[in-house]
């Protein structure tokens, strides 16, 4: 097995606030790890550390065998890691002044020096894959939230990432659009993409996750396959959380 993410004894503070407490977590290639927990428990911080959007103070973090040192600094490593890690946020963060297709072409051309022809073909293929091939020439504001989020996923995929990070990708969507985004994620998982997903969609977690992690006040307090965590949680914090959300 190839480890794509390895965290060992990772700690992170925001000033006096100890947000990540000695996190041990590995993600194997092809694995889908879903992270659940209450608001403010450190889920976003955890996955933001993985592509260096947040620094941490102590412990070990390796992404695809690149060590990402605490207080990272090493911009070369960081750039290398980010090339291989796609991230999708709650807010789609598309470039409003670029068409859908151009949004997807930008990073491959800038970061990977892909030619216009190749980038264009990739964008068209990925837009088909996320089910919006017909929206290529529109601007983000002309799309529904669900469509915009699918563009964001296609944009991340254009870099051919080894790992995809999702931070509550459906939380900003109207309920009727959640399904279409989850469908795309489900397909990705089926195709073998390695994924770390923060979500409140427990149905999705149960169905798609290989492993579910419950984080409470910056600590992993429960971890297991979906049926272990959802049907038979061992930790009373997990039990209380699940009884609120299920
Ligand atoms: P979650 O994603 O589980 O809701 P976060 O990782 O966003 O939690 O936040 C964990 C804790 O860290 C919260 O108490 C939050 O207020 C705090 N926090 C998050 N980002 C920052 C920041 N940039 N500066 C200071 N505190 C932060
Ligand atoms: Mg969050």
């Amino acid at each position: 097995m190839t480890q794509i993410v390895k965290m060992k004894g990772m700690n992170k503070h925001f000033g006096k606030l100890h947000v990540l407490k000695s996190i041990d977590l590995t993600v194997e290639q092809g694995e889908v790890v879903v992270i659940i927990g209450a608001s403010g428990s450190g889920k976003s911080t955890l996955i933001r550390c993985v592509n260096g959007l947040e620094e941490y103070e102590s412990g070990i973090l390796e992404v695809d065998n690149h060590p990402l040192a605490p207080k990272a600094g090493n911009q070369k490593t960081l750039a290398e890691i980010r090339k291989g890690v796609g991230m999708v946020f709650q807010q789609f963060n598309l470039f409003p002044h670029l068409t859908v297709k151009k949004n997807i072409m930008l990073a491959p051309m800038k970061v990977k020096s892909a030619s216009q022809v190749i980038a264009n073909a990739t964008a068209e293929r990925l837009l088909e894959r996320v089910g919006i091939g017909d929206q290529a020439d529109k601007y983000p504001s002309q799309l529904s939230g669900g469509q915009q989020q699918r563009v964001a996923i296609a944009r991340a995929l254009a870099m051919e990432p080894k790992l995809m990070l999702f931070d509550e990708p459906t939380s900003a969507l109207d309920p009727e659009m959640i399904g279409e985004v989850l469908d795309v994620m489900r397909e990705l998982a089926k195709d073998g993409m390695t994924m770390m997903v923060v979500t409140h969609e427990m149905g999705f977690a149960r169905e798609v996750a290989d492993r579910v992690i419950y984080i409470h006040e910056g600590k992993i307090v429960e971890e297991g396959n979906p049926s272990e965590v959802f049907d038979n949680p061992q930790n009373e914090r997990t039990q209380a959380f699940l009884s609120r959300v299920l």
Side-chain angles (χ1 to χ4, degrees), residues 61-221:
L61 170 58
E62 289 177 18
V63 182
D64 195 25
N65 289 318
H66 296 287
L68 184 56
K71 288 287 168 197
N74 188 341
Q75 292 304 316
K76 215 171 148 197
T77 313
L78 205 52
E80 204 47 48
I81 286 175
R82 286 197 183 142
K83 264 194 231 174
V85 180
M87 179 140 184
V88 176
F89 303 88
Q90 182 173 334
Q91 302 300 339
F92 329 119
N93 297 342
L94 297 173
F95 305 112
H97 60 295
L98 295 179
T99 63
V100 161
K101 194 197 271 182
K102 288 267 156 62
N103 261 277
I104 300 174
M105 291 169 63
L106 190 65
M109 291 179 67
K110 282 235 148 115
V111 184
K112 286 195 160 174
S113 310
S115 70
Q116 178 123 15
V117 174
I118 296 283
N120 185 70
T122 303
E124 287 181 354
R125 174 173 57 78
L126 288 170
L127 284 170
E128 285 298 329
R129 183 169 173 190
V130 300
I132 41 175
D134 51 344
Q135 309 291 324
D137 297 321
K138 291 195 177 161
Y139 286 87
S141 62
Q142 297 173 299
L143 268 53
S144 72
Q147 290 173 325
Q148 289 188 57
Q149 193 59 301
R150 287 186 279 154
V151 175
I153 295 173
R155 183 176 60 174
L157 292 176
M159 291 293 284
E160 303 184 308
K162 290 203 166 167
L163 168 70
M164 284 283 286
L165 307 174
F166 292 89
D167 192 358
E168 300 198 30
T170 60
S171 293
L173 297 178
D174 292 334
E176 72 270 22
M177 291 170 191
I178 291 175
E180 66 197 51
V181 171
L182 293 180
D183 283 346
V184 168
M185 293 169 65
R186 197 178 280 119
E187 285 301 313
L188 265 186
K190 245 192 234 159
D191 290 345
M193 178 61 76
T194 310
M195 298 168 45
M196 293 177 79
V197 183
V198 175
T199 186
H200 297 294
E201 295 294 327
M202 297 300 156
F204 174 85
R206 184 188 277 277
E207 182 196 330
V208 179
D210 296 302
R211 200 142 44 93
V212 178
I213 308 268
Y214 174 69
I215 174 164
H216 176 77
E217 293 176 359
K219 247 181 138 62
I220 294 175
V221 300

Side-chain angles (χ1 to χ4, degrees), residues 22-40:
S22 195
I23 299 285
D24 293 329
L25 174 62
T26 57
V27 182
E28 306 280 349
Q29 188 163 25
E31 212 179 7
V32 177
V33 174
V34 169
I35 299 155
I36 60 173
S39 174

